[in-house]
Amino acid sequence: MKLHEYQAKGVFADAGIPTPASQLAETADEAVAAADDIGYPVAIKAQVQVGGRGKAGGIELVENADEAREAAERIIGMDLKGLHVDSVLVEEAVDFVNELYIGVTMDRNEGRPVAMVSTKGGVDIEEVAAENPDAIAREHVDPAFGLHPYQARRAVYDAGVDRDVAGDVASVLTTLYSLWDDRDATETEINPLMVTADDEVIAADAVMNIDEDALFRHPDLAEMEDETAGDELEAKANEYGFDYVRLSGNVGIIGNGAGLVMTTLDLVDYYGGEPANFLDIGGGAKAERVANALDMVFSDENVDSVVFNIFGGITRGDEVAKGINAALEQFDEIPKPVVVRLAGTNAEEGMEILNTDLVEVQGTLEDAVQRAVARAEEVDQ
């Protein structure tokens, strides 16, 4: 479960992490009143659970009431990366001289939590990790003992944080890890942690994601869940009972089994395509379930082609074929090219059932992925 920025900042502030004065507003009038109360300049920040709000026009710095009203009227109600903005956080502007990044998450390759610090704050940390991984100092943590003070200090030192604020940054990192551990978080992050000319550190942003399976231990956090905040397709996936993650590419992926879907996703990338989603329909999928999966992928405007990868075990190839036919026959015109690869139980029967006027059939996974990538490229041109 993802917390909104204002919710995460409330949790961080309660734990002793310095945060700017701020108020939530749902109308332009409320935003102006909040800004007048806090004092100008202020930042007007869209409260949606997505990164890159600033670049997408969801954050604006204003100097007076007229600018505050204009910014609030523009941001409230806007569509930001597919999410509707219902509220804004009106926040005291921070006069900073440096921006840092600190965060805690699980390093699945190491099987341990990792605390991270970087002087490259205020930008997409994933880009920093890809382009300049040495710019991020990392300390892996033994969860039995927690983040030792010397580890926090070492991470701050290795990152090259200025000596005048190193102690405060290490303290914030230690608190951030404690929150991650105590509140069953999957991620706690501050980007940027701003450093002022007076050598104060202030959390100008806040990210906190909670393990949904642990919410019963944290009723105060469970009450913060915003059921309307998520992606509409992911909400539909929950209704259908699918394991689904929306990605940024244009090749839709459907498979039965997480490993099979991940393999397909990797192959799409290998052959020069960009995956649009991860969609696992699970084992034993019947025709209705397959039809629902196709309906979901077709609903994604970013998808230009679909690759359907099924290996029959519990799931029978003939049932999958019936589902594909049933889904596609609902359309007067097929909205996206569909490429199918069937193997395993009753795969031959499935191949015979498939309506090849509606789908393209490939004998191997590699051929199916390459064809789907090519069809997506044709649509893009």
Side-chain angles (χ1 to χ4, degrees), residues 285-288 290 315-324 346 350 353:
K286 303 296 184 180
E288 181 181 1
V290 175
T315 304
R316 289 166 35 195
D318 55 335
E319 285 289 347
V320 175
K322 290 175 185 176
I324 294 172
N346 289 6
I353 293 171

Side-chain angles (χ1 to χ4, degrees), residues 224-241:
M224 297 181 185
E225 184 172 12
D226 183 355
E227 295 182 354
T228 66
D231 185 279
E232 290 184 6
L233 287 176
E234 293 187 355
K236 182 183 285 190
N238 288 333
E239 292 180 13
Y240 287 148

Side-chain angles (χ1 to χ4, degrees), residues 252-265 267-268 271 281 290 294 306-313 315-322 324 328 337-352 354-356 358-372:
I253 298 171
I254 303 173
N256 62 321
L260 199 65
V261 178
M262 285 301 300
T263 299
T264 312
L265 194 149
L267 281 173
V268 168
Y271 287 117
I281 61 175
V290 175
L294 280 167
V306 180
V307 57
F308 212 119
N309 182 18
I310 297 293
F311 185 86
T315 304
R316 289 166 35 195
D318 55 335
E319 285 289 347
V320 175
K322 290 175 185 176
I324 294 172
L328 296 180
V338 179
V339 184
V340 179
R341 176 260 190 173
L342 283 178
T345 304
N346 289 6
E348 292 183 4
E349 292 86 343
M351 292 291 196
E352 294 176 1
L354 278 172
N355 185 345
T356 53
L358 304 177
V359 301
E360 300 179 37
V361 179
Q362 296 291 335
T364 69
L365 176 56
E366 290 82 358
D367 289 343
V369 169
Q370 289 184 76
R371 184 57 180 159

Side-chain angles (χ1 to χ4, degrees), residues 16 80 138 223 287 353:
L80 200 155
R138 298 171 173 85
E223 290 177 356
I353 293 171

